[in-house]
Amino acid sequence: MVTLPAVIGMALVALGMVLTPGPNMIYLVSRSIGQGWRAGMVSLAGTLVGFLVYMTMANVGLAAVFLLVPWLYTAVKIAGAAYLLYLAWKTLKPGGLSLFEARDLPGDSRAKLFRMGLVTNLLNPKAAIMYLALIPQFVTPATGNVMLQGFILGGVQITVSMLVNAAIVLAAGGIAVFLRSRPTWLVVQRWITGTLLGAVGIKLAIDAPAPAG
């Protein structure tokens, strides 16, 4: 019931979002550099639980809302497209975010690392908008159960996010040193990420008038 284009589109959006510096990335990189990759992985586990909470809350309400208020489907698509274009502009503008800026933080216990990873993600506006405005872009009510589609697409997003973040955690120290010492690579990374987000945002904006079902 979830089409291949929807899965690919969701994966690309998830990739663009996870590569855009935000609270999750900054916290994970900070912990990985300050306490080592194991601390980063514990923090990442908390982030995973945060995504699961958002996915469950969003999908349980999504099916009922789209059924009762069909026009909201189009409004959500427009909001999601606008947010992607905003992220693209924020990334591509002069001085856009791309550098890993790890903070010098004191050592924390595993329980606190997990808890902070969870809280950081739950308070992360990127995570909220991902589930409330972006994932619904790829849900097609006419092809099957809306809630199940939401969980499948949410699983795609979580898989991409966890794989990329795990790689970042394992290579955080080397990545930070590499990017800081090579300004050209910073520009390349920023333009690739911004272009990816912008292209998907434009595509979603064009498709927004399509009916919900």
Side-chain angles (χ1 to χ4, degrees), residues 142-192:
T143 65
N145 187 285
V146 170
M147 185 185 299
L148 182 56
Q149 289 185 62
F151 275 109
I152 292 173
L153 292 170
V156 172
Q157 181 271 323
I158 290 175
T159 298
V160 171
S161 180
M162 291 300 104
L163 289 175
V164 173
N165 277 315
I168 289 174
V169 165
L170 293 173
I175 292 175
V177 172
F178 179 86
L179 291 179
R180 286 172 184 163
S181 62
R182 293 167 175 80
T184 300
W185 281 89
L186 284 174
V187 175
V188 171
Q189 182 270 335
R190 186 158 55 87
W191 275 91
I192 290 176

Side-chain angles (χ1 to χ4, degrees), residues 23-192:
N24 286 349
M25 179 183 288
I26 292 174
Y27 182 73
L28 292 173
V29 170
S30 298
R31 277 303 164 204
S32 300
I33 293 176
Q35 281 187 253
W37 66 270
R38 289 181 179 84
M41 286 297 187
V42 174
S43 300
L44 182 58
T47 300
L48 169 62
V49 174
F51 278 133
L52 292 174
V53 170
Y54 265 123
M55 181 173 66
T56 301
M57 292 178 63
N59 285 311
V60 167
L62 185 63
V65 169
F66 278 176
L67 182 63
L68 296 174
V69 192
W71 61 264
L72 189 60
Y73 181 71
T74 299
V76 166
K77 290 175 70 176
I78 293 174
Y83 183 69
L84 279 178
L85 292 173
Y86 167 73
L87 285 180
W89 171 79
K90 192 174 180 180
T91 303
L92 293 173
K93 70 176 183 177
L97 299 175
S98 63
L99 181 62
F100 290 178
E101 296 182 279
R103 294 171 292 174
D104 186 15
L105 301 173
D108 286 332
S109 66
R110 289 187 176 182
K112 186 173 182 179
L113 288 170
F114 180 89
R115 185 169 63 252
M116 288 304 298
L118 171 61
V119 172
T120 298
N121 200 23
L122 290 178
L123 297 179
N124 182 4
K126 286 173 58 179
I129 292 177
M130 171 65 73
Y131 284 97
L132 298 178
L134 298 183
I135 287 181
Q137 317 290 327
F138 302 97
V139 172
T140 307
T143 65
N145 187 285
V146 170
M147 185 185 299
L148 182 56
Q149 289 185 62
F151 275 109
I152 292 173
L153 292 170
V156 172
Q157 181 271 323
I158 290 175
T159 298
V160 171
S161 180
M162 291 300 104
L163 289 175
V164 173
N165 277 315
I168 289 174
V169 165
L170 293 173
I175 292 175
V177 172
F178 179 86
L179 291 179
R180 286 172 184 163
S181 62
R182 293 167 175 80
T184 300
W185 281 89
L186 284 174
V187 175
V188 171
Q189 182 270 335
R190 186 158 55 87
W191 275 91
I192 290 176

